[in-house]
Amino acid sequence: MSLREGTRRLALLLGVVGAVLCGLLSYAQLQSDMRQRAQHQRFEQLASSPVVQHERRLMKYLAPGITPPLAPGDLPNPSTFTNGEVRKINWTWDFEIASLELEDRETLYAMPAPGPWSYVLIAILPVLGFFVPWIAVRSVGWVFVGFVQPSKHES
């Protein structure tokens, strides 16, 4: 087997290994994004429920009368409920919802939905996993072949 053929095979092997490893990483990222998206949707669904919206309006209405005024870092007392899916609403200092505690003791936090670049990264990662090692091995092999193989002289 020639050095050129060995380099080609090594590049393909490492490219496939890189694609498989990055595919596994991509799958893990997809699972994480799906969980984050589901939690975001669940939080938004509960935060927009009539009970929570009523409590939010009430807290904002009462906010100017709270003495002393809350400073950043101070938190208002949570709102608690005895009926329904939401058991407790924890507020931020400016009376936005920090978290929702549910009847089953699960706590949902306000978190953004995954951005579109996260999904682009998931799609591109296996491709990069193949081409980065493939290009690296091919480049090193190309330089190495220039030093090892004798040059051809035309007479």
Side-chain angles (χ1 to χ4, degrees):
M1 179 175 3
S2 70
L3 183 60
R4 178 164 277 153
E5 179 64 19
T7 303
R8 186 183 70 79
R9 288 182 181 187
L10 180 63
L12 283 174
L13 175 67
L14 291 180
V16 168
V17 168
V20 168
L21 291 176
C22 285
L24 292 173
L25 183 63
S26 181
Y27 178 75
Q29 181 65 34
L30 177 64
Q31 295 300 314
S32 173
D33 282 1
M34 288 173 55
R35 271 192 307 277
Q36 182 178 347
R37 183 171 185 78
Q39 287 177 349
H40 169 77
Q41 288 174 337
R42 176 119 165 115
F43 179 86
E44 290 300 320
Q45 175 191 14
L46 290 172
S48 63
S49 69
V51 171
V52 175
Q53 287 299 312
H54 177 265
E55 190 70 16
R56 177 186 272 178
R57 283 191 299 274
L58 182 65
M59 290 298 283
K60 286 191 177 197
Y61 176 75
L62 296 176
I66 294 177
T67 55
L70 294 174
D74 293 341
L75 299 178
N77 292 331
S79 301
T80 56
F81 304 95
T82 55
N83 298 9
E85 193 172 2
V86 177
R87 192 170 64 89
K88 186 191 299 185
I89 302 172
N90 294 307
W91 302 99
T92 63
W93 67 274
D94 58 348
F95 299 100
E96 293 297 323
I97 300 171
S99 66
L100 299 170
E101 292 182 26
L102 307 180
E103 282 297 321
D104 61 358
R105 304 283 188 210
E106 180 184 6
T107 302
L108 298 175
Y109 296 96
M111 67 173 48
W117 285 110
S118 180
Y119 296 109
V120 170
L121 179 65
I122 289 169
I124 290 178
L125 206 55
V127 176
L128 289 175
F130 176 82
F131 280 111
V132 168
W134 184 80
I135 289 171
V137 170
R138 294 293 290 202
S139 299
V140 170
W142 177 74
V143 170
F144 188 68
V145 165
F147 289 108
V148 174
Q149 288 184 345
S151 61
K152 297 177 183 174
H153 295 287
E154 292 185 33
S155 302

